[in-house]
Amino acid sequence: MELDFAGLDSRIAYRWMASTITPRPVAWVSSLSGTDVANLAPFSFFQMITASPPTLIFSPLIQSDGRAKDTVANIRETGEFVVNLVSFAQIDLMNATSFTFDPNVSEFEACRVPSEASRRVRPRRVLGAPVAFECKLAKLMPYPEASPSCFVVFGEVLYAHFDESILGAGGYVDPERLNIVSRMGGNWYGRTASASNFELERPAGWDRQQKV
Ligand SMILES: Cc1cc2nc3c(=O)[nH]c(=O)nc-3n(C[C@H](O)[C@H](O)[C@H](O)COP(=O)(O)O)c2cc1C
């Protein structure tokens, strides 16, 4: 099976890419509108790109009517957001917040998502999320420039919360205790807690090399 992506319908390209570039962790992004309506929405086009400065990116698509999603409008207006990671226990709540609500409706209220105050930014974080990154907007980039189909949001992490339950003996995250969900193709999800996970040492001598 081979596919020529040049000129391929974007819905077909989406299907093949989104079902193979997996698993993608879910960024459950909370933001505040200019009039203080609290917004919460999941995004799986999400990654860290550097730790210097600590930066993550996620990509909200532009809607078919050409409008930006509420998350983008809010971040553009206020310059702040929180990326919460989603525990397996929270998947139904996360899913509920992906519904397209009116901008004046808060997903926190409509979906009854418990929250608590953040430390460095105004948007609240999700109570019970195993990890939450408080971010300030570093860059908001429409892509592709000539005819954008999405935005890439760059967030600099200012402060983070790690639930004690995911930490191991050494004080760092224990992969066996982390149970966050990720997006796969269609309606499929993955979990970091999996019996098929394994460890792999880097090649001997890698730490004496320049590159990491
Ligand atoms: C697991 C999951 C992952 C999603 N990932 C994305 C994504 O990466 N980009 C995107 O534009 N929409 C994504 N969506 C859809 C948005 O969550 C949805 O459009 C949401 O209503 C946007 O909310 P907002 O308008 O309040 O920002 C995803 C939905 C789910 C359930």
Side-chain angles (χ1 to χ4, degrees), residues 75-90:
I75 293 174
R76 201 184 243 156
E77 216 167 348
T78 64
E80 299 183 323
F81 58 98
V82 181
V83 169
N84 303 273
L85 302 185
V86 182
S87 73
F88 182 65
Q90 294 171 315

Side-chain angles (χ1 to χ4, degrees), residues 119-135:
R119 297 293 295 269
R120 298 281 188 273
V121 297
R122 289 187 63 239
R124 293 171 71 82
R125 63 192 177 101
V126 173
L127 184 70
V131 180
F133 295 109
E134 299 184 19
C135 300

Side-chain angles (χ1 to χ4, degrees), residues 39 41-45 59-61 69-71 98 107 183 189:
N39 194 91
F43 296 92
S44 75
F45 293 173
S59 168
L61 301 173
K69 295 192 177 184
D70 297 343
T71 300
S98 73
E107 288 82 0
R183 186 91 190 265
Y189 286 83

Side-chain angles (χ1 to χ4, degrees), residues 120-161:
R120 298 281 188 273
V121 297
R122 289 187 63 239
R124 293 171 71 82
R125 63 192 177 101
V126 173
L127 184 70
V131 180
F133 295 109
E134 299 184 19
C135 300
K136 75 167 186 200
L137 176 64
K139 189 181 170 97
L140 182 67
M141 198 176 84
Y143 179 84
E145 236 172 276
S147 174
S149 64
C150 69
F151 291 93
V152 185
V153 181
F154 292 70
E156 184 176 334
V157 179
L158 302 178
Y159 197 88
H161 306 257

Side-chain angles (χ1 to χ4, degrees), residues 14 24 26-27 29 31 39-46 58-63 68-72 74 94-101 107 150 182-183 189:
Y14 178 94
R24 297 184 305 280
V26 178
V29 180
S31 59
N39 194 91
L40 184 63
F43 296 92
S44 75
F45 293 173
F46 162 54
F58 71 96
S59 168
L61 301 173
I62 292 173
Q63 300 179 95
K69 295 192 177 184
D70 297 343
T71 300
V72 172
N74 292 353
M94 177 280 290
N95 200 26
T97 63
S98 73
F99 189 80
T100 307
F101 291 97
E107 288 82 0
C150 69
S182 57
R183 186 91 190 265
Y189 286 83

Side-chain angles (χ1 to χ4, degrees), residues 20-42:
T20 52
I21 302 175
T22 62
R24 297 184 305 280
V26 178
W28 204 8
V29 180
S30 76
S31 59
L32 269 182
S33 76
T35 53
D36 281 355
V37 180
N39 194 91
L40 184 63

